[in-house]
Amino acid sequence: MNTIKQRTMTVNGMPVLIEGEKNLLELIRKAGFDMPTLCYHSKLSTYGACRMCVVEDKKGEIMASCSTPPRAGMEIKTNTPRLREYRKMILELMLADHNRDCITCEKRNNCQLKELAERFGIDDVRFETYSLDGTKDHSSPAIIRHPDKCILCGDCVRVCDEIQRVGAIDFVHRGSRMEVMPAFNMPLAETKCVNCGQCAAVCPTGAITIKSNIAELWEMLADDNTIVQAQIAPAVRVALGDEFNFEKGENVMGKMVAALRMLGFDDVYDTSTAADLTVIEESKEFIERYSSGENLPLFTSCCPAWFRYAENYHPELMDNISSCKSPMEMFGAVLKEKAKKDAEETKSKKKTKVVAIMPCTAKKSEVLQERYHYEGEPAVDLSITTQELATMIRETGLNFADLQPEPIDMPFGIASGAGVIFGVTGGVTEAVIRHVVGPEDRNTLAEIAFTGVRGLEGVKEVKLPFGADKEISIAIVSGLRNAEELIQAIKKGEAHYDFVEVMACKGGCIAGAGQPFVEDRARAERSEGMYEADRMSNVRTSKSNPITDALYRTMLSGHNAHRLLHYK
Amino acid sequence: MEHEAMKAKIDEIIARHSESKPIVAILQDIQEEYRYLPKEALLYLADAIDVSIAKIYSVATFYENFSLEPKGKYVIKICDGTACHVRKSIPILNALRNKLGLSDSKKTTDDQLFTVETVSCLGACGLAPVMTVNDKVYPAMTPESATALLDELK
């Protein structure tokens, strides 16, 4: 057995126990020193390019702590005069090739480069600025590229390839001419980009940002001849608070509803209500396919980045993907149908616009897709992110923390807990299981929760007894590379599933790129917030939601359910 | 039809290589076939070997030796390494450019016959100044001998 001495090293003279850290950086951070980094993400491969995390050993050798494994007996320092000088020089060189319009930059509040320049007191850049040409790529409905702000850390390249397996962008050229861009410098909209926005979520600067629809929305809200209806996605409620100093994962739904009314929305609804419709429709579809054995496994369709990925890479699977619209689009169609009927009754000339508040950037592309249109017009007119909503709340001058919580509007004022948990990986599956398995009693619900549907792992498997002697085999994946590996396993016959839930963002919508960018996206806390909202709801299954019940007897009767809720 | 032929050619090139599908080696073979890397060829290659087109473009632009622009029938490389440079390689380059109407930004003649470019060292410093035409080495050149060579090639 190793003695303690064989397992320790020193950091700034302090002994630290080595407990399986994969690199010095993690060990140093464990010891309480916040090492600066610009290109390091623990979930991605180590690149070692930014050199901000350099340390010095007792021989005076300098190494990047992110790419050096800890060894017993090592003695390193993290803050010597030489290291300070190195870091300042590196930052100064990065800034020399960086657009420094910080005040008007989208990332002004959370730019890691700006933060480090402040922390290391960079007051002056002595070098000539070069290679800035002002180009911006606005072609994508969700993502903006601004190469003049790129520091070549490659985080976006790695997340796009390693986590999402899309590889829409990569390094091009080399040396001083190196840039990150799509192949042939083609507009991002023409690549296989799925608009998941994870590149923007990891970008330390403003080189990749999310397109804002705030200006259009203000105009819409200011128009007296337009009724503006909001629908709030499940995952938004446990993340918006991050922008206003709430505890991570705290559910701020009530305050958000109040804020939306003060911004000028006429009606405020919860997308979870429509998620209940999705559960009912998708369960029906699943049971039909399961009984006939056709087009199995059934893949979920509610994640637009996954849907786009499947279109791009697996056209042969499109028959396996559920024909259900996403909850957002289902709700859009239902709201537009209701608005049309109401206008006919009251002879009102007012237009109705539906705005979705989403954790997601790919929804900005989804709202434009014709297959989801309602009578030739978008069912959802705009999709804004959690971060955009926070900006609007601040712009209005509301003190969010002091707002009195308010409930969502009737006649869609109830959502089941099953609808709410759509926001976390495994949530759709759990909601569908509740619907398929049946009785709403506490024990059954608890049993379902323990089948393995919960948890933030990228791949989960669940087997569920069905009927007298059958079994439903389910897979739940988040991260598109995980999805691809699962698809390959299915094709090779190594795995068999009846139902597959796919979410492009790791952890599900709670970690969407529209959410505030906090450490590890607060996945654990946001997930807990979702399940707590479920526990606290008095309706736990989609079929016991009186709203959906009423809808199926009226607006969604007969073939109307298919007309409004399915895209094909 | 031409596109189909290109696909078949690329399939054949890929088949020459091992299962690990080495991108650089495959790109070299494609360039040997077409004298440059046609965009359509790269797009087809990406799908065929299941690598993102951005990654292939990244590799193709990293190496100076790969060209994304069509090259002439005769590719003339003038060495501008230290030894060739001090033995006056630049006047040779200028003489060729003048005669062919080429410049630093326009490297290939409109009739697609000649491409003139510089390389940093051909590794034949003892023969300086050196140039190559389609990989055949011409040692101890002068502006006059270089332009005379052009007439010969035409």
Side-chain angles (χ1 to χ4, degrees):
Chain A
M1 203 178 134
N2 286 345
T3 62
I4 281 286
K5 208 164 188 174
Q6 284 168 315
R7 286 182 287 131
T8 54
M9 54 172 286
T10 69
V11 176
N12 297 333
M14 207 171 78
V16 183
L17 194 60
I18 303 171
E19 295 169 299
E21 286 81 9
K22 66 175 176 183
N23 52 41
L24 281 177
L25 178 66
E26 291 190 350
L27 183 115
I28 294 164
R29 285 184 172 165
K30 183 181 74 176
F33 297 96
D34 179 29
M35 286 298 274
T37 54
L38 286 168
C39 74
Y40 182 76
H41 282 271
S42 56
K43 302 267 180 348
L44 301 176
S45 62
T46 304
Y47 189 48
C50 78
R51 315 313 279 183
M52 291 306 296
C53 70
V54 282
V55 295
E56 192 173 345
D57 71 5
K58 60 181 169 186
K59 288 185 227 141
E61 203 173 305
I62 286 180
M63 62 201 98
S65 63
C66 68
S67 42
T68 311
R71 286 190 313 273
M74 259 180 145
E75 292 176 27
I76 56 153
K77 288 188 171 157
T78 65
N79 189 28
T80 64
R82 260 177 91 200
L83 293 175
R84 277 200 297 276
E85 201 170 312
Y86 272 42
R87 289 196 183 110
K88 287 178 95 148
M89 176 63 92
I90 293 162
L91 283 167
E92 222 180 306
L93 286 166
M94 279 182 193
L95 288 167
D97 191 27
H98 186 82
N99 174 312
R100 302 199 290 278
D101 295 341
C102 297
I103 291 178
T104 51
C105 178
E106 297 90 329
K107 265 303 203 32
R108 58 193 161 261
N109 290 324
N110 45 8
C111 171
Q112 290 169 43
L113 182 63
K114 180 167 160 264
E115 204 176 286
L116 291 183
E118 271 167 26
R119 180 166 151 191
F120 293 99
I122 313 295
D123 302 326
D124 187 26
V125 176
R126 292 165 292 170
F127 309 110
E128 205 176 310
T129 301
Y130 67 106
S131 87
L132 302 184
D133 60 9
T135 53
K136 262 190 177 186
D137 178 0
H138 287 279
S139 64
S140 154
I143 292 159
I144 299 173
R145 283 177 58 241
H146 193 175
D148 285 352
K149 290 179 181 170
C150 178
I151 58 168
L152 301 173
C153 68
D155 287 341
C156 53
V157 173
R158 288 189 296 284
V159 83
C160 191
D161 174 40
E162 293 173 14
I163 306 292
Q164 303 298 46
R165 200 202 161 268
V166 172
I169 45 176
D170 211 313
F171 290 104
V172 169
H173 302 300
R174 63 171 158 174
S176 62
R177 290 175 59 226
M178 187 184 263
E179 277 188 70
V180 170
M181 61 167 77
F184 308 102
N185 202 10
M186 62 173 105
L188 197 58
E190 288 171 25
T191 67
K192 288 183 175 172
C193 169
V194 298
N195 300 310
C196 73
Q198 290 301 322
C199 50
V202 295
C203 180
T205 70
I208 303 183
T209 51
I210 303 303
K211 189 162 263 184
S212 165
N213 296 102
I214 293 177
E216 287 157 81
L217 180 50
W218 279 134
E219 236 169 74
M220 212 183 264
L221 290 168
D223 183 355
D224 291 337
N225 291 316
T226 304
I227 297 168
V228 189
Q229 302 182 318
Q231 53 160 312
I232 305 166
V236 176
R237 68 203 64 188
V238 293
L240 180 66
D242 289 340
E243 293 276 345
F244 300 100
N245 295 323
F246 282 74
E247 289 271 314
K248 278 185 189 169
E250 190 172 337
N251 188 336
V252 296
M253 185 67 176
K255 285 179 189 290
M256 177 165 29
V257 173
L260 286 167
R261 293 216 176 92
M262 296 180 96
L263 295 182
F265 283 90
D266 297 280
D267 301 297
V268 182
Y269 302 118
D270 184 347
T271 309
S272 315
T273 308
D276 283 331
L277 298 175
T278 310
V279 169
I280 293 167
E281 292 299 314
E282 201 156 340
S283 299
K284 201 170 98 194
E285 190 180 17
F286 173 66
I287 296 297
E288 277 168 20
R289 291 199 199 178
Y290 188 71
S291 313
S292 70
E294 272 170 31
N295 292 332
L296 288 175
L298 170 77
F299 286 88
T300 57
S301 60
C302 34
C303 170
W306 151 241
F307 195 94
R308 175 93 195 265
Y309 180 88
E311 279 186 306
N312 284 347
Y313 294 95
H314 293 288
E316 78 284 1
L317 286 181
M318 295 318 285
D319 283 338
N320 288 61
I321 291 182
S322 167
S323 67
C324 292
K325 293 179 187 172
S326 67
M328 177 188 85
E329 293 292 348
M330 285 191 175
F331 213 174
V334 165
L335 291 173
K336 286 284 165 82
E337 175 96 342
K338 181 168 187 312
K340 188 182 153 195
K341 295 215 162 119
D342 288 353
E344 278 165 10
E345 262 174 43
T346 59
K347 307 245 181 307
S348 160
K349 289 236 164 66
K350 285 192 172 186
K351 289 172 290 180
T352 296
K353 299 271 182 186
V354 175
V355 176
I357 322 293
M358 293 281 139
C360 179
T361 54
K363 290 282 176 193
K364 287 179 185 287
S365 161
E366 189 184 87
V367 299
L368 303 174
Q369 308 295 315
E370 264 175 45
R371 66 168 77 85
Y372 306 122
H373 279 16
Y374 172 83
E375 299 193 345
E377 305 230 331
V380 177
D381 297 275
L382 274 185
S383 173
I384 65 160
T385 64
T386 311
Q387 291 195 52
E388 284 170 86
L389 176 60
T391 304
M392 292 179 78
I393 290 171
R394 277 193 290 266
E395 201 176 333
T396 311
L398 288 177
N399 189 345
F400 188 73
D402 290 345
L403 292 175
Q404 290 296 323
E406 292 178 14
I408 52 172
D409 283 300
M410 291 307 277
F412 303 108
I414 302 171
S416 81
V420 173
I421 56 174
F422 260 58
V424 58
T425 169
V428 178
T429 303
E430 187 170 345
V432 169
I433 295 177
R434 284 184 194 176
H435 189 77
V436 173
V437 167
E440 182 179 0
D441 63 79
R442 273 168 206 287
N443 285 342
T444 316
L445 288 175
E447 276 168 26
I448 294 170
F450 291 127
T451 52
V453 288
R454 297 194 180 184
L456 293 168
E457 302 84 5
V459 184
K460 295 177 279 189
E461 288 189 358
V462 179
K463 299 243 189 269
L464 194 74
F466 184 71
D469 53 352
K470 284 191 181 163
E471 193 180 56
I472 302 173
S473 183
I474 299 171
I476 300 158
V477 288
S478 62
L480 292 172
R481 181 168 285 279
N482 287 334
E484 181 63 33
E485 280 165 12
L486 193 89
I487 291 167
Q488 293 307 329
I490 293 171
K491 289 199 164 170
K492 287 186 194 134
E494 292 161 4
H496 169 80
Y497 302 104
D498 303 305
F499 183 93
V500 180
E501 174 195 312
V502 186
M503 295 292 159
C505 297
K506 276 205 152 176
C509 313
I510 48 169
Q515 303 274 60
F517 298 155
V518 297
E519 176 84 29
D520 196 33
R521 326 304 305 285
R523 283 179 175 87
E525 294 88 349
R526 289 175 184 173
S527 156
E528 186 43 41
M530 295 265 79
Y531 290 121
E532 190 186 315
D534 170 40
R535 277 198 302 280
M536 296 300 289
S537 52
N538 38 21
V539 182
R540 300 287 297 277
T541 66
S542 302
K543 67 179 137 199
S544 52
N545 182 347
I547 303 283
T548 55
D549 197 41
L551 276 171
Y552 276 104
R553 277 186 278 110
T554 55
M555 189 197 291
L556 298 176
S557 60
H559 75 285
N560 289 318
H562 195 91
R563 175 174 65 90
L564 292 170
L565 308 180
H566 292 256
Y567 63 87
K568 65 175 180 190
Chain B
M1 204 47 217
E2 200 180 324
H3 198 55
E4 291 306 311
M6 183 180 268
K7 285 180 179 177
K9 189 78 215 171
I10 287 167
D11 285 337
E12 183 202 316
I13 289 171
I14 295 168
R16 271 184 233 156
H17 293 275
S18 67
E19 262 309 289
S20 65
K21 292 162 188 159
I23 298 177
V24 172
I26 293 172
L27 290 179
Q28 282 176 319
D29 286 1
I30 295 176
Q31 177 151 300
E32 190 167 316
E33 180 67 30
Y34 298 101
R35 296 203 304 270
Y36 79 112
L37 299 173
K39 184 175 179 180
E40 300 70 39
L42 299 188
L43 289 167
Y44 180 73
L45 175 67
D47 285 340
I49 64 172
D50 198 20
V51 171
S52 75
I53 181 63
K55 172 64 69 195
I56 288 177
Y57 187 71
S58 175
V59 173
T61 55
F62 184 89
Y63 295 101
E64 204 63 45
N65 190 39
F66 288 130
S67 172
L68 294 153
E69 302 294 326
K71 287 201 179 180
K73 188 175 166 205
Y74 299 105
V75 178
I76 304 174
K77 292 178 181 173
I78 293 131
C79 182
D80 195 30
T82 312
C84 290
H85 186 86
V86 298
R87 300 199 66 171
K88 300 197 167 48
S89 59
I90 294 297
I92 303 173
L93 174 68
N94 290 340
L96 290 177
R97 280 184 177 167
N98 283 342
K99 188 161 165 96
L100 296 169
L102 298 176
S103 66
D104 194 30
S105 52
K106 181 174 161 58
K107 293 190 160 67
T108 301
T109 53
D110 292 332
D111 60 4
Q112 297 287 308
L113 205 53
F114 292 103
T115 295
V116 176
E117 52 193 28
T118 59
V119 286
S120 291
C121 184
L122 286 167
C125 308
L127 308 174
V130 185
M131 63 184 242
T132 59
V133 180
N134 291 355
D135 298 330
K136 185 175 179 216
V137 180
Y138 292 85
M141 297 303 282
T142 61
E144 294 72 31
S145 63
T147 46
L149 184 61
L150 284 184
D151 295 332
E152 237 173 83
L153 292 170
K154 269 184 192 164

